[in-house]
Amino acid sequence: MSNLQPARGTHDILPDEMRAHRRVVGIAGEVAERYGYEFMATPVFEFSQVFKRTLGDTSDIVTKEMYTFIDKGDDEITLRPENTAGVARCYISEGLAQKAPVRFFYAGPMFRFERPQKGRLRQFHQIGIENIGIAGAMADIEVIAAGARILDELGVADKTVLELNTLGDAESRDAYRAVLVEYLEKRIDELSKESRERLTRNPLRVLDSKDEGDRKVVAGAPVYSDYLNDASRAFFDEVREGLAALDISYRLNPRLVRGLDYYSHTAFEFTTEHLGSQGAVMAGGRYDGLIGMMGGTATPGVGWAAGIERLAMLCGEAPAARRPIAVVPVGDEAKMPALKLSEELRRAGYRVDLGHSGNLSKRMKRANKVNASAALIIGEDELARGAATLRDLDSGEQEEAALASLVDRLARFR
Ligand code: ATP
Ligand code: MG
């Protein structure tokens, strides 16, 4: 029944992994809130134009990775491969300019047709933040600081490195693109087929090629920082000054580029060596060109996105589930009283696992299997006395407790 497998590149998130994901989203969302970023969500699918117009016809995402289809209303729809374009679309269509600047946090599934491997899925999940409406470097610093704090509070900061670069403004980029293309064209024979294509469509992308031959060529290429105009240089200096003031260390990586035209100035990535070849954990940058490119009033923005699966893997073992109290009725007479007691305990805030079948030893096995901290055994004798046997499943100690006093007696097992 191979068709009952999850589709290639997708997987079921069972409770252990789900707890790990929820911890990532919970901590990240709470930290983001402290920085003023509020939870929001855009739809999982959008008109394809939202992505095609913005990600450009040459990006890897648009050319190879999008899940696009015609729906029954003849609209061309794409499952979102990332969330920045959706948030920008929302900013325009919801008229959020009135509220600018806005700060958003999101978490949810993204879809890319990729070659699946560990840490690389076709349906994966991201958290991210977007800061829209602030042109100055303080926003870039804030966004990076929030990312760094999240990694710190997740306990993975020491497993990651912040890599930083600037893409400058449009003028600087045009100047650099011209010299880069000139340099690369002279060495076109040494470039991979992919990079030869990039050369005409999106030459900056050659800089982050993973191909060995490309890397050798790139090593000798002109360096972007030599072509930054004064304004771009000043912007980058302020970002660096802010990071220094906050004691956020980073490594300059002149090869770090976002391939998309709407990016400018700050580009950054938190990377790790703990996840094999999937080293990118959190990636972001400034996208001043995006909202204008979509047809809105030109509006600056900066943000990042991070893969939840990769973050959860970095965090290591999933947090333990909350331990329940096992309620164990013995005999038919005890069924209804056990049901009522369970309900009462749940109302009082306890997690309860109510045994449903089997004899006493089977139910006690079940109590151990669900890692219950205590068992409440209710048999005929106990019932007659209006009591239950309370067993501490860690120490094995047991005592009889009046049903009326149970909510309080259980307090130490909360
Ligand atoms: P990569 O270089 O690994 O392909 P990317 O540059 O495509 O990453 P972004 O588009 O910047 O990634 O997305 C931000 C983050 O989302 C990545 O740093 C990574 O943690 C996560 N991510 C991206 N693609 C996937 C995927 N297919 N499966 C799982 N996580 C992913
Ligand atoms: Mg990718």
Side-chain angles (χ1 to χ4, degrees):
M1 295 278 256
S2 61
N3 57 341
L4 287 184
Q5 299 291 314
R8 194 165 143 74
T10 70
H11 80 302
D12 303 305
I13 305 173
L14 293 176
D16 283 344
E17 190 183 358
M18 198 70 211
R19 281 197 307 280
H21 283 208
R22 285 180 62 189
R23 174 173 172 272
V24 168
V25 175
I27 291 177
E30 192 276 318
V31 172
E33 244 167 21
R34 282 186 241 153
Y35 287 78
Y37 292 76
E38 291 200 277
F39 271 85
M40 60 88 79
T42 63
V44 164
F45 59 84
E46 300 266 357
F47 292 127
S48 298
Q49 280 308 314
V50 169
F51 306 108
K52 284 192 175 165
R53 281 248 289 278
T54 58
L55 301 179
D57 295 333
T58 61
S59 71
D60 281 357
I61 289 185
V62 170
T63 54
K64 295 186 276 193
E65 298 177 359
M66 290 205 318
Y67 277 94
T68 296
F69 58 96
I70 308 291
D71 73 6
K72 291 191 168 63
D74 276 340
D75 285 318
E76 195 188 291
I77 296 295
T78 294
L79 303 184
R80 61 183 187 191
E82 54 93 34
N83 210 166
T84 302
V87 170
R89 191 273 308 140
C90 161
Y91 181 86
I92 300 168
S93 60
E94 299 288 339
L96 300 182
Q98 288 181 28
K99 299 188 174 143
V102 295
R103 290 179 172 84
F104 292 137
F105 172 85
Y106 62 80
M110 308 293 157
F111 306 86
R112 296 183 193 178
F113 189 79
E114 312 212 54
R115 200 164 62 79
Q117 46 194 300
K118 186 165 176 265
R120 188 173 297 284
L121 293 152
R122 289 180 175 177
Q123 177 181 332
F124 62 102
H125 300 79
Q126 282 182 341
I127 51 169
I129 65 176
E130 310 293 354
N131 176 319
I132 302 179
I134 302 177
M138 289 302 276
D140 307 53
I141 299 162
E142 174 186 296
V143 154
I144 294 174
R149 174 125 316 279
I150 287 169
L151 295 173
D152 188 41
E153 298 202 10
L154 286 173
V156 300
D158 57 354
K159 293 183 185 165
T160 64
V161 172
L162 170 60
E163 301 188 37
L164 183 71
N165 193 20
T166 179
L167 307 176
D169 58 12
E171 185 187 83
S172 306
R173 196 159 47 245
D174 288 347
Y176 179 60
R177 197 192 321 248
V179 294
L180 179 66
V181 168
E182 193 187 312
Y183 168 86
L184 292 174
E185 271 173 348
K186 283 192 203 131
R187 288 158 187 81
I188 195 157
D189 298 338
E190 300 160 53
L191 290 177
S192 67
K193 181 167 160 286
E194 263 193 324
S195 282
R196 265 178 256 154
E197 279 164 24
R198 290 185 184 121
L199 187 53
T200 45
R201 293 189 315 197
N202 198 343
L204 289 183
R205 276 317 287 259
V206 177
L207 296 179
D208 77 341
S209 167
K210 286 163 184 129
D211 178 88
E212 276 301 313
D214 291 348
R215 282 183 170 238
K216 277 192 197 125
V217 176
V218 164
V223 178
Y224 199 169
S225 55
D226 295 339
Y227 295 85
L228 292 175
N229 59 20
D230 289 345
S232 300
R233 205 178 296 276
F235 192 100
F236 195 42
D237 286 345
E238 190 178 340
V239 171
R240 296 181 62 178
E241 194 188 330
L243 295 179
L246 298 179
D247 278 330
I248 297 173
S249 54
Y250 58 87
R251 190 160 72 197
L252 287 177
N253 176 358
R255 284 215 314 245
L256 178 69
V257 291
R258 317 258 88 198
L260 310 175
D261 278 348
Y262 61 71
Y263 279 105
S264 56
H265 296 296
T266 317
F268 62 92
E269 210 163 280
F270 286 88
T271 59
T272 184
E273 290 183 340
H274 291 73
L275 295 178
S277 51
Q278 265 50 261
V281 177
M282 180 183 280
R286 179 165 275 282
Y287 47 84
D288 290 349
L290 175 61
I291 290 175
M293 190 184 279
M294 284 183 116
T297 313
T299 308
V302 54
W304 53 252
I308 295 177
E309 284 82 0
R310 292 187 195 176
L311 282 172
M313 278 192 283
L314 265 191
C315 290
E317 204 170 317
R322 198 175 148 201
R323 297 180 76 184
I325 307 287
V327 173
V328 183
V330 183
D332 269 356
E333 296 289 288
K335 235 162 103 177
M336 288 303 145
L339 178 68
K340 281 178 68 178
L341 175 63
S342 299
E343 189 64 19
E344 195 183 326
L345 294 177
R346 286 165 179 153
R347 194 188 313 129
Y350 291 96
R351 178 180 166 185
V352 175
D353 187 273
L354 174 56
H356 283 286
S357 66
N359 56 24
L360 180 62
S361 90
K362 221 169 160 186
R363 291 184 190 190
M364 290 310 293
K365 260 192 201 136
R366 157 94 192 160
N368 282 317
K369 203 160 139 194
V370 298
N371 193 28
S373 52
L376 280 171
I377 301 156
I378 309 180
E380 264 170 56
D381 298 349
E382 285 102 334
L383 266 182
R385 292 192 293 271
T389 299
L390 168 57
R391 185 184 299 175
D392 181 326
L393 291 176
D394 292 331
S395 69
E397 274 168 40
Q398 77 181 39
E399 58 187 345
E400 190 165 296
L403 290 179
S405 72
L406 269 180
V407 168
D408 294 333
R409 294 283 287 272
L410 284 171
R412 67 192 168 101
F413 296 105
R414 229 183 235 289

